[in-house]
Amino acid sequence: MPTKLLFATLAAALAAFVANAFAQTPAAAVPRPAPQPVAAAIATPTPPPPTLDATSWLLMDYATGQVLLDGNADARVEPASITKIMTSYVVSAELAHGKIHMEDPVTISENAWRSGGAGTDGSTSFLELNSQVPLKQLLYGMIIQSGNDAAIALAEHTAGSEELFATLMNQYAAQLGMTGTHYVDASGLPNANHYTTAHDVALLSRALIRDFPDEYAIYKIKDFEWNGIKQHNRNTLLWRDSSVDGIKTGHTSSAGFCLATSALRGEQRLIAVVMGAKSEKARADANQELLNYGFRFFESHKLYTTSKPLATPELWKGAAPTVALGVAEDVVVTLPRGRYADLKASMDLPARLIAPLQKGQAVGSLKVELDGKTLVERPIVVLEEAVEGGFFKRMVDGVMLWFESDEKPATSEVPASAG
């Protein structure tokens, strides 16, 4: 191509890009949508949450992990047999990795028999000294009967000793973000260095349901018989409320009466945790109050899906003029009923997006708030790979970028629902 023609073509392209650039809407300026229609304009008040007579408590939405209600939820407390939720989580994780198997014969050691067997004051599966019991039966005995001997035997088989198993428990706790928890044994016998929080119990319960649904199904079984002895699950809500399908009780004189429960009504699952109640009835009543309040006065909404772009800002030096941005996973929020229209969503994006960009690459953030409190925050990612344009496109955009400000704001409101 002759030199004069080349420069004439480049000049024309540059002029066109200049004209277009200064006429474009800012990259993050997406429209604010109309809120979902409501049945009536009358405000629906929400009564105050229940007041519980317990050391600490918490109500969590399973799908989002949002804490809906809590009282002293980060205080360190003695977990008692609530400990066995982590014991079953570790055993389930080791089963999933093929390190142990449901059919494994497990020898009942003197330590398991003496520390957690029939001669103790704690809950037991009545396992016989030096007998061999299939791992699956021990798992059932620990979860349903809350057998201390079963928990210790599982720990010894999984890690070689209960002490090493406690190390595994703490490692898994760290992975799950349980910052207020430390374990020294598998059954929950009292120890000054053995503690947790109501919040951590909820985090663990959510992880158990999510990561090991098959093992979690054991928690709703109401009774279990071993060696001719039939025992009932201590979670009385399994008989009282058909939506409850777990999780675990705990009690010692120093810990009080503890209970973690989960219930599924429709498509919504909640997790309730009560620590340090005054009686077995009180812990069941408190959990029931939390669950009923949560299901009655909170609702969940899917706001954004992975299939729909939240924004299509200008792409510099790219083969395409724009790039589609969205979320890597569906965004669901839980909020008080009737407050959907009060949600405020915004996203932060860089002033300029320059090719190449990889699919899934994080380039900004999405925040959803209610009354100034952040309900959820997620990264904004590239939905499809954005490849570089040709030589002239890159060269012209390079010149154009000289005229672009690095300081222009890129925060904007986004649709309250794009799902």
Side-chain angles (χ1 to χ4, degrees):
M1 179 182 293
T3 303
K4 288 185 178 180
L5 180 58
L6 172 62
F7 279 100
T9 302
L10 178 59
L14 178 59
F17 272 93
V18 170
N20 289 334
F22 289 100
Q24 285 199 6
T25 302
V30 293
R32 177 178 175 82
Q36 282 188 343
V38 293
I42 301 175
T44 55
T46 300
T51 300
L52 305 181
D53 185 13
T55 303
S56 60
W57 64 89
L58 180 140
L59 181 68
M60 176 180 285
D61 179 77
Y62 168 76
T64 64
Q66 287 176 233
V67 175
L68 307 182
L69 303 171
D70 68 287
N72 209 25
D74 291 320
R76 289 183 177 179
V77 293
E78 182 183 332
S81 284
I82 295 279
T83 299
K84 291 163 187 164
I85 302 177
M86 176 57 84
T87 302
S88 75
Y89 186 91
V90 175
V91 170
S92 297
E94 299 297 292
L95 283 166
H97 286 89
K99 297 180 180 180
I100 53 178
H101 306 87
M102 282 289 195
E103 300 77 20
D104 287 352
V106 179
T107 301
I108 308 306
S109 70
E110 182 173 353
N111 177 48
W113 174 76
R114 191 175 298 280
S115 300
T120 65
D121 292 331
S123 51
T124 179
S125 293
F126 297 99
L127 303 174
E128 296 179 359
L129 176 63
N130 296 327
S131 63
Q132 287 196 326
V133 181
L135 187 149
K136 181 178 181 180
Q137 301 302 313
L138 292 177
L139 194 59
Y140 274 63
M142 179 186 70
I143 293 173
I144 303 168
Q145 300 171 338
S146 195
N148 292 332
D149 47 0
I152 297 169
L154 285 168
E156 292 175 340
H157 181 76
T158 301
S161 71
E162 189 175 9
E163 182 180 4
L164 286 177
F165 186 82
T167 301
L168 276 179
M169 296 169 76
N170 290 319
Q171 290 173 338
Y172 278 106
Q175 290 181 15
L176 296 175
M178 298 170 61
T179 57
T181 296
H182 185 261
Y183 298 107
V184 297
D185 62 58
S187 61
L189 297 175
N191 187 300
N193 292 318
H194 190 91
Y195 52 81
T196 190
T197 69
H199 189 199
D200 282 358
V201 172
L203 289 175
L204 172 60
S205 300
R206 182 175 184 240
L208 175 70
I209 298 168
R210 178 194 66 217
D211 298 341
F212 306 112
D214 291 342
E215 284 78 8
Y216 177 67
I218 302 171
Y219 282 83
K220 66 183 178 183
I221 298 175
K222 295 180 178 179
D223 50 56
F224 178 68
E225 181 175 331
W226 175 254
N227 202 21
I229 301 173
K230 185 176 184 179
Q231 296 187 75
H232 297 290
N233 195 315
R234 289 171 168 78
N235 183 0
T236 56
L237 288 189
L238 292 175
W239 283 267
R240 186 192 299 182
D241 184 341
S242 61
S243 69
V244 172
D245 54 14
I247 305 172
K248 190 73 189 72
T249 62
H251 171 256
T252 65
S253 57
S254 52
F257 290 84
C258 308
L259 176 61
T261 57
S262 183
L264 180 66
R265 299 182 188 176
E267 296 183 355
Q268 186 178 20
R269 177 180 289 280
L270 299 179
I271 296 168
V273 178
V274 174
M275 308 295 286
K278 304 302 183 185
S279 67
E280 182 175 349
K281 182 179 185 301
R283 73 184 177 190
D285 290 346
N287 273 262
Q288 186 78 76
E289 283 189 75
L290 288 175
L291 292 172
N292 288 344
Y293 186 92
F295 284 118
R296 173 62 183 85
F297 295 109
F298 286 89
E299 60 185 353
S300 296
H301 289 274
K302 181 185 289 186
L303 299 185
Y304 310 106
T305 66
T306 58
S307 59
K308 293 187 177 181
L310 291 182
T312 53
E314 182 179 7
L315 177 65
W316 294 90
K317 298 186 179 182
T322 60
V323 57
L325 305 180
V327 289
E329 57 185 28
D330 293 348
V331 177
V332 181
V333 297
T334 302
L335 67 158
R337 291 188 183 277
R339 297 294 311 278
Y340 179 88
D342 299 321
L343 288 176
K344 295 186 183 300
S346 63
M347 62 181 178
D348 287 327
L349 296 176
R352 302 176 300 185
L353 291 170
I354 303 174
L357 297 171
Q358 300 298 317
K359 181 179 180 180
Q361 179 178 340
V363 295
S365 63
L366 167 75
K367 183 183 293 186
V368 181
E369 297 176 300
L370 180 66
D371 297 334
K373 179 182 178 181
T374 299
L375 298 183
V376 64
E377 191 166 2
R378 295 286 187 272
I380 295 289
V381 301
V382 178
L383 296 182
E384 296 294 341
E385 182 179 6
V387 299
E388 287 185 317
F391 171 76
F392 285 110
K393 179 66 163 64
R394 298 197 309 273
M395 182 168 59
V396 170
D397 278 11
V399 174
M400 280 292 303
L401 287 171
W402 295 344
F403 299 95
E404 283 289 310
S405 169
D406 290 331
E407 299 178 358
K408 71 177 182 180
T411 302
S412 73
E413 294 178 338
V414 294
S417 180

